[in-house]
Amino acid sequence: SGIRSTGKQHIGNYLGAMLNYVALQDDYDCIYSVVDVHSLTTLEDTVGLRDNVLATALDLLAAGIDPERSILYVQSHVPEVVELATLLGMITPLSWLTRVPTFKDKVRMHPENVNYGLVGYPVLQTADIVLYKADTVPVGEDQLPHLELAREIVRRFNRLFGETFPEPHAKLTEAPMILGLDGVNKMSKSRDNHIELAATPEETERRVMTAVTDPQRTHRNVPGRPEVCNVYSLHAFFNAEKRPWVYEQCTTAGIGCVDCKKLLAEGINRALAPFRQRREELASRPEQLKKILADGAARAAVIARETLAEARDKIGLPAPYDC
Ligand code: SF4
């Protein structure tokens, strides 16, 4: 699986994907990459790209990705993926790519920036998967169409050139979509409705205080409706044992929203304290972080070179002349 190099991750990434990545290490040989090439489809992402790559890797390691058990590397450090994407692109009809829902969304949202890389995004994603002959890919519901497309590309390649890649299967993550502080949209940096994992306790509390609550609770004495309030939803992850009490207090106006948010911020800070400590320790040794990523890239490259050579051979490209 790849995680975009967007820099410091937020609690939506953590609950929705990262904890799952960590858990999968118990049952699978996992390969995780910080996908920096993918992030080039939107050019403003390249500002601070190098720092963002390292920040993303730091978050993954602090969350519990274990470089002894899993391979963690930076996508562009194994450039074989770009060559394989080119080869797969030759057998992928354009109509398969333009029907992908996320592509249509991007075209709608940024009609001025519909580039070749954007339409080819799922082909690069497919190359990322099949370069390692991965059989299982952890995905959220929204990524299912991309994985289905990867399977179609694999089937077509195998039919045209002989059995080469396994069809990757989806392992659906069970984590629910985490709404942002606006209580309406998915938590994301671009909407500025997020709480960074690596934020200080004070920053965390400041951010939580901006969360939108039940709009009908216009006064401290008016009972609230926890079921429509995202602060209440977030208590489920960070204050599970106190949640029934929060429900009762909210519906009887026993506590106000400020108290409720303070409680949530305390819960988040308590839950993330070990993560933040590990992150700080790792960040103080940048050379060690780079060594982990270099080792990961070296291990990934061994598999990648072998797969790419096989794909080139199956297609019928001449091997490099050795003379
Ligand atoms: Fe939401 Fe808590 Fe306010 Fe109730 S008391 S509306 S659950 S923030």
mmCIF file of all heavy atoms in Angstrom, residues 213-214 217 226 229 231-232 246 250 256-257 260, ligand 1:
data_model
loop_
_atom_site.group_PDB
_atom_site.id
_atom_site.type_symbol
_atom_site.label_atom_id
_atom_site.label_comp_id
_atom_site.label_asym_id
_atom_site.label_seq_id
_atom_site.Cartn_x
_atom_site.Cartn_y
_atom_site.Cartn_z
ATOM 1 N N THR A 213 -20.427 21.565 16.520
ATOM 2 C CA THR A 213 -21.219 20.619 17.326
ATOM 3 C C THR A 213 -22.677 20.658 16.846
ATOM 4 O O THR A 213 -22.962 21.144 15.753
ATOM 5 C CB THR A 213 -21.126 20.980 18.818
ATOM 6 O OG1 THR A 213 -21.672 22.284 18.992
ATOM 7 C CG2 THR A 213 -19.689 20.945 19.303
ATOM 8 N N ASP A 214 -23.568 20.166 17.688
ATOM 9 C CA ASP A 214 -24.991 20.183 17.331
ATOM 10 C C ASP A 214 -25.463 21.639 17.180
ATOM 11 O O ASP A 214 -25.463 22.392 18.153
ATOM 12 C CB ASP A 214 -25.768 19.478 18.455
ATOM 13 C CG ASP A 214 -27.274 19.537 18.231
ATOM 14 O OD1 ASP A 214 -27.698 20.020 17.165
ATOM 15 O OD2 ASP A 214 -28.006 19.094 19.138
ATOM 16 N N ARG A 217 -27.802 23.265 19.637
ATOM 17 C CA ARG A 217 -27.412 23.543 21.028
ATOM 18 C C ARG A 217 -26.862 24.966 21.096
ATOM 19 O O ARG A 217 -25.650 25.208 21.140
ATOM 20 C CB ARG A 217 -26.371 22.512 21.481
ATOM 21 C CG ARG A 217 -26.319 22.453 22.969
ATOM 22 C CD ARG A 217 -25.701 21.273 23.596
ATOM 23 N NE ARG A 217 -25.915 21.427 25.027
ATOM 24 C CZ ARG A 217 -25.143 20.964 25.975
ATOM 25 N NH1 ARG A 217 -24.108 20.253 25.669
ATOM 26 N NH2 ARG A 217 -25.422 21.202 27.237
ATOM 27 N N PRO A 226 -26.313 14.169 20.667
ATOM 28 C CA PRO A 226 -24.979 13.591 20.360
ATOM 29 C C PRO A 226 -24.949 12.881 19.018
ATOM 30 O O PRO A 226 -23.914 12.872 18.350
ATOM 31 C CB PRO A 226 -24.753 12.590 21.499
ATOM 32 C CG PRO A 226 -25.773 12.883 22.527
ATOM 33 C CD PRO A 226 -26.881 13.644 21.905
ATOM 34 N N CYS A 229 -23.604 14.943 16.332
ATOM 35 C CA CYS A 229 -22.410 15.730 16.676
ATOM 36 C C CYS A 229 -21.135 14.919 16.454
ATOM 37 O O CYS A 229 -20.973 13.830 17.006
ATOM 38 C CB CYS A 229 -22.500 16.169 18.135
ATOM 39 S SG CYS A 229 -21.034 17.037 18.678
ATOM 40 N N VAL A 231 -18.151 15.611 17.488
ATOM 41 C CA VAL A 231 -17.320 15.513 18.697
ATOM 42 C C VAL A 231 -17.686 14.221 19.428
ATOM 43 O O VAL A 231 -16.811 13.471 19.885
ATOM 44 C CB VAL A 231 -17.542 16.750 19.614
ATOM 45 C CG1 VAL A 231 -16.839 16.565 20.950
ATOM 46 C CG2 VAL A 231 -17.041 18.005 18.919
ATOM 47 N N TYR A 232 -18.962 13.965 19.489
ATOM 48 C CA TYR A 232 -19.420 12.715 20.126
ATOM 49 C C TYR A 232 -18.875 11.496 19.372
ATOM 50 O O TYR A 232 -18.422 10.535 19.982
ATOM 51 C CB TYR A 232 -20.950 12.693 20.169
ATOM 52 C CG TYR A 232 -21.507 11.453 20.824
ATOM 53 C CD1 TYR A 232 -21.345 11.222 22.189
ATOM 54 C CD2 TYR A 232 -22.178 10.492 20.067
ATOM 55 C CE1 TYR A 232 -21.840 10.070 22.784
ATOM 56 C CE2 TYR A 232 -22.672 9.338 20.654
ATOM 57 C CZ TYR A 232 -22.497 9.128 22.016
ATOM 58 O OH TYR A 232 -22.979 7.991 22.598
ATOM 59 N N VAL A 246 -20.998 10.849 28.412
ATOM 60 C CA VAL A 246 -21.090 12.044 27.562
ATOM 61 C C VAL A 246 -22.501 12.129 26.966
ATOM 62 O O VAL A 246 -23.120 13.202 26.945
ATOM 63 C CB VAL A 246 -20.022 12.009 26.431
ATOM 64 C CG1 VAL A 246 -20.293 13.083 25.375
ATOM 65 C CG2 VAL A 246 -18.627 12.185 27.003
ATOM 66 N N CYS A 250 -24.880 15.207 27.721
ATOM 67 C CA CYS A 250 -25.237 16.097 26.603
ATOM 68 C C CYS A 250 -26.754 16.217 26.498
ATOM 69 O O CYS A 250 -27.293 17.316 26.391
ATOM 70 C CB CYS A 250 -24.634 15.547 25.308
ATOM 71 S SG CYS A 250 -25.156 16.419 23.825
ATOM 72 N N GLY A 256 -21.541 21.311 29.073
ATOM 73 C CA GLY A 256 -21.597 22.137 27.871
ATOM 74 C C GLY A 256 -20.618 21.602 26.840
ATOM 75 O O GLY A 256 -19.807 20.715 27.129
ATOM 76 N N CYS A 257 -20.688 22.175 25.652
ATOM 77 C CA CYS A 257 -19.815 21.702 24.574
ATOM 78 C C CYS A 257 -18.342 21.974 24.871
ATOM 79 O O CYS A 257 -17.470 21.211 24.457
ATOM 80 C CB CYS A 257 -20.221 22.346 23.253
ATOM 81 S SG CYS A 257 -21.824 21.752 22.677
ATOM 82 N N CYS A 260 -17.123 19.236 26.992
ATOM 83 C CA CYS A 260 -17.116 18.008 26.203
ATOM 84 C C CYS A 260 -15.886 17.963 25.284
ATOM 85 O O CYS A 260 -15.227 16.939 25.142
ATOM 86 C CB CYS A 260 -18.405 17.966 25.389
ATOM 87 S SG CYS A 260 -18.661 16.421 24.540
HETATM 88 FE FE1 SF4 B 1 -21.560 17.491 20.914
HETATM 89 FE FE2 SF4 B 1 -20.563 17.154 23.317
HETATM 90 FE FE3 SF4 B 1 -21.792 19.443 22.670
HETATM 91 FE FE4 SF4 B 1 -23.195 17.240 22.988
HETATM 92 S S1 SF4 B 1 -22.011 18.279 24.567
HETATM 93 S S2 SF4 B 1 -23.392 18.695 21.297
HETATM 94 S S3 SF4 B 1 -21.781 15.669 22.193
HETATM 95 S S4 SF4 B 1 -19.893 18.667 21.832
#
